[in-house]
Coordinates of all heavy atoms in Angstrom, one line a residue:
R25 N 126.4 96.2 94.2 CA 126.4 96.4 95.7 C 125.9 97.8 96.1 O 126.0 98.8 95.3 CB 127.8 96.2 96.2 CG 128.8 97.4 96.2 CD 129.1 97.9 94.8 NE 130.2 98.8 94.8 CZ 130.1 100.2 95.0 NH1 128.9 100.7 95.3 NH2 131.1 101.0 94.9
A27 N 126.7 100.3 99.2 CA 127.8 100.3 100.1 C 127.7 101.5 101.0 O 128.6 102.4 101.0 CB 129.1 100.3 99.3
P28 N 126.7 101.5 101.9 CA 126.5 102.7 102.7 C 127.5 102.8 103.9 O 127.9 101.7 104.4 CB 125.1 102.6 103.2 CG 124.9 101.1 103.3 CD 125.7 100.5 102.2
S29 N 127.8 104.0 104.3 CA 128.5 104.2 105.6 C 127.4 104.4 106.7 O 126.5 105.1 106.5 CB 129.4 105.4 105.5 OG 130.3 105.2 104.5
E61 N 130.2 100.0 104.9 CA 131.5 100.7 104.8 C 131.7 101.5 106.1 O 131.4 102.7 106.1 CB 131.6 101.6 103.5 CG 131.3 100.7 102.3 CD 132.0 101.1 101.0 OE1 132.2 102.3 100.8 OE2 132.4 100.2 100.2
Y216 N 138.0 104.9 102.6 CA 137.0 104.5 101.7 C 137.6 104.2 100.3 O 137.3 103.2 99.7 CB 135.9 105.7 101.5 CG 135.2 105.6 100.3 CD1 134.3 104.6 100.0 CD2 135.3 106.6 99.3 CE1 133.6 104.5 98.8 CE2 134.6 106.6 98.1 CZ 133.7 105.5 97.9 OH 133.0 105.5 96.7
V220 N 137.0 100.5 99.0 CA 136.0 100.3 98.0 C 136.6 99.6 96.8 O 135.9 98.7 96.2 CB 135.4 101.7 97.5 CG1 136.3 102.5 96.7 CG2 134.0 101.4 96.8
F233 N 127.1 101.3 90.9 CA 126.2 102.5 90.7 C 126.2 103.2 92.0 O 125.8 102.7 93.1 CB 124.8 102.0 90.4 CG 124.7 101.1 89.2 CD1 123.6 100.2 89.1 CD2 125.6 101.2 88.1 CE1 123.6 99.3 88.0 CE2 125.5 100.3 87.0 CZ 124.5 99.4 87.0
R234 N 126.5 104.5 92.0 CA 126.6 105.3 93.2 C 126.2 106.7 92.9 O 126.2 107.1 91.7 CB 128.0 105.1 93.8 CG 129.1 105.6 92.9 CD 130.4 105.3 93.4 NE 131.5 105.8 92.6 CZ 132.8 105.6 92.8 NH1 133.2 104.8 93.8 NH2 133.7 106.1 92.0
W238 N 130.2 111.0 94.3 CA 131.4 110.2 94.3 C 132.2 110.3 93.0 O 133.3 109.8 92.9 CB 131.1 108.7 94.5 CG 130.4 108.5 95.9 CD1 129.1 108.4 96.1 CD2 131.0 108.7 97.2 NE1 128.8 108.3 97.4 CE2 130.0 108.5 98.1 CE3 132.3 108.9 97.6 CZ2 130.2 108.6 99.5 CZ3 132.5 109.0 99.0 CH2 131.5 108.8 99.9
Ligands
LIG603 N1 130.5 104.3 101.3 C1 130.1 105.1 100.3 C2 128.8 105.8 100.8 O1 128.7 106.0 101.9 C3 129.8 104.3 99.0 C4 130.1 104.9 97.7 C5 130.2 103.9 96.7 O2 129.2 103.2 96.4 O3 131.3 103.6 96.1 O4 127.9 106.2 100.0

Side-chain angles (χ1 to χ4, degrees):
R25 85 298 191 277
S29 297
E61 302 212 326
Y216 160 66
V220 76
F233 306 149
R234 58 188 185 188
W238 299 104

